[in-house]
Amino acid sequence: MPQNRWHLPLAPQKRSWFRSALQLRGSVVPYVLPRALLCGLFGELIVVLYARGWAVSIPALSGLIPNIVLGLLLVFRTNTAYERFWEGRKLWGTLTNTTRNLARQIWVNVAEKNSQDRAQKISILRLLVAFAVATKLHLRRQSFEDLMLLDLLPKDYYFKLQNTNTPPLEIAFWISSYLQKQRCRNRLTAYQLDTMQKMISTMVDVLGGCERILRTPIPLAYVIHLKQLLLLYCLTLPFQLVADLHWATGPIVALITFTLLGIEEIGIEIENPFGTDANDLPLDAMCLNMLRDVEDLISLGSAWTIQSQSSPETEAQVERA
């Protein structure tokens, strides 16, 4: 089966609290620490000037940017980014559930007359997973010359996909076309066809929702203004603290700067949830999970096969009941 080639973790491994606290991968420390140290060095420069008698202590600057204003801006920035992250997770949860339901309905409801019908059903079920994989690649702007797609798609479909602008839509068209053909062959009722087509529409809606998140960034004016306020606050902080903290000004400024810039960087990390960073959604694992579900469904056999394999003892019990 195709999924034998893929071994991705479906859930994060449990780890100790201290190990998580000291972990660098996935944290914002590598991005924030250089800037925090630079602000700390600037604070030490102010201390040196203060020790030499320069009038660099300006407590009045503490009212330049009130802490509560900056805090609210940072919280709003982080919450906005997390809403985008959580909406992306909900959309992919909808895609996972719809794929499972549609695969089950196709596998159970489409009648099989021969081995060719069964092979077509298996191919279509794998097309459902291919839709998710193509959506992932589309959102990440990655090449569609992908090994997983090559396993899931017939060769002619795979090469056709390389020349389309929106490959997931092409896959959705192939699935819809298959269902329509089954209706024309009286393998599906009109009600079943309508239900399945609505599920395909839901999958396409998920694609559109993900594209909306991807192509609607946080307004640039808001991002620039927040960075300007953070920079201004961090650079004026040593002038406020030097008279009270003296040589401790640099480390304290670096610590406060690290905290504030870290909160801002978290928002930047999660505002696009479809990338490949440690803080992005595990789309590879989600696609693998869908593939495993579909392959498990195929391995169960069709509903008619399961029914025909029931033992004589079971049938006798049913008749007595």
Side-chain angles (χ1 to χ4, degrees):
M1 292 185 295
Q3 83 273 24
N4 290 339
R5 296 179 55 176
W6 314 104
H7 302 281
L8 298 176
L10 297 182
Q13 300 296 321
K14 187 176 181 180
R15 62 183 69 219
S16 67
W17 188 91
F18 284 104
R19 185 177 177 184
S20 297
L22 299 176
Q23 178 178 327
L24 289 180
R25 184 178 182 274
S27 72
V28 296
V29 173
Y31 306 102
V32 175
L33 189 59
R35 284 173 273 169
L37 292 177
L38 189 61
C39 289
L41 290 175
F42 179 74
E44 288 300 314
L45 174 63
I46 299 301
V47 172
V48 171
L49 296 178
Y50 180 77
R52 292 188 175 185
W54 289 50
V56 291
S57 175
I58 312 176
L61 289 178
S62 59
L64 182 63
I65 304 175
N67 296 342
I68 188 171
V69 173
L70 186 60
L72 288 174
L73 285 173
L74 284 173
V75 169
F76 178 77
R77 172 72 173 89
T78 306
N79 286 348
T80 302
Y82 185 76
E83 285 177 5
R84 294 163 58 88
F85 178 89
W86 184 240
E87 185 180 359
R89 179 61 186 89
K90 289 192 295 184
L91 287 169
W92 270 83
T94 300
L95 180 59
T96 300
N97 294 336
T98 305
T99 299
R100 289 169 174 168
N101 288 328
L102 183 53
R104 175 176 50 82
Q105 293 212 19
I106 291 175
W107 192 246
V108 172
N109 293 328
V110 178
E112 299 174 11
K113 301 297 184 181
N114 50 51
S115 60
Q116 184 179 3
D117 291 341
R118 183 181 180 85
Q120 285 183 347
K121 282 172 61 174
I122 292 174
S123 178
I124 292 300
L125 261 60
R126 288 175 179 160
L127 274 183
L128 297 176
V129 184
F131 178 90
V133 175
T135 299
K136 175 194 70 173
L137 298 173
H138 177 67
L139 295 174
R140 291 177 174 177
R141 297 184 174 92
Q142 294 178 337
S143 170
F144 284 86
E145 296 180 359
D146 183 82
L147 289 178
M148 196 169 186
L149 274 182
L150 184 60
D151 280 340
L152 293 170
L153 293 172
K155 291 292 180 64
D156 54 337
Y157 283 9
Y158 176 78
F159 291 113
K160 286 179 182 178
L161 213 60
Q162 309 303 320
N163 300 318
T164 58
N165 294 321
T166 311
L169 289 181
E170 188 77 11
I171 296 176
F173 169 77
W174 292 334
I175 300 171
S176 295
S177 178
Y178 167 81
L179 295 176
Q180 191 64 46
K181 289 178 182 177
Q182 300 311 306
R183 171 60 186 145
C184 294
R185 298 171 63 191
N186 293 322
R187 304 290 176 86
L188 286 175
T189 66
Y191 175 77
Q192 290 171 335
L193 175 64
D194 182 63
T195 301
M196 294 180 188
Q197 294 287 18
K198 286 180 179 178
M199 290 183 181
I200 297 175
S201 296
T202 299
M203 295 168 65
V204 175
D205 288 342
V206 167
L207 171 64
C210 292
E211 288 179 331
R212 171 170 46 83
I213 294 174
L214 185 66
R215 296 173 181 175
T216 311
I218 303 294
L220 184 60
Y222 179 81
V223 173
I224 292 175
H225 190 61
L226 179 58
K227 290 182 182 296
Q228 291 170 341
L229 288 181
L230 275 173
L231 182 62
L232 186 60
Y233 182 85
C234 293
L235 292 181
T236 58
L237 197 55
F239 298 96
Q240 306 170 35
L241 303 178
V242 65
D244 298 323
L245 299 180
H246 301 287
W247 292 104
T249 299
I252 297 300
V253 167
L255 181 61
I256 295 174
T257 302
F258 176 80
T259 303
L260 296 177
L261 294 180
I263 295 174
E264 186 218 10
E265 191 66 33
I266 289 172
I268 295 174
E269 280 285 305
I270 65 175
E271 68 181 358
N272 174 21
F274 307 121
T276 57
D277 297 332
N279 292 302
D280 294 325
L281 293 173
L283 301 186
D284 294 321
M286 292 180 187
C287 291
L288 177 62
N289 197 24
M290 294 182 211
L291 176 59
R292 287 173 172 168
D293 290 340
V294 166
E295 294 295 340
D296 286 344
L297 182 62
I298 294 172
S299 66
L300 292 175
S302 66
W304 301 279
T305 304
I306 295 173
Q307 184 177 2
S308 64
Q309 289 177 349
S310 59
S311 63
E313 292 82 0
T314 304
E315 293 178 357
Q317 291 176 1
V318 172
E319 289 178 359
R320 285 197 298 269

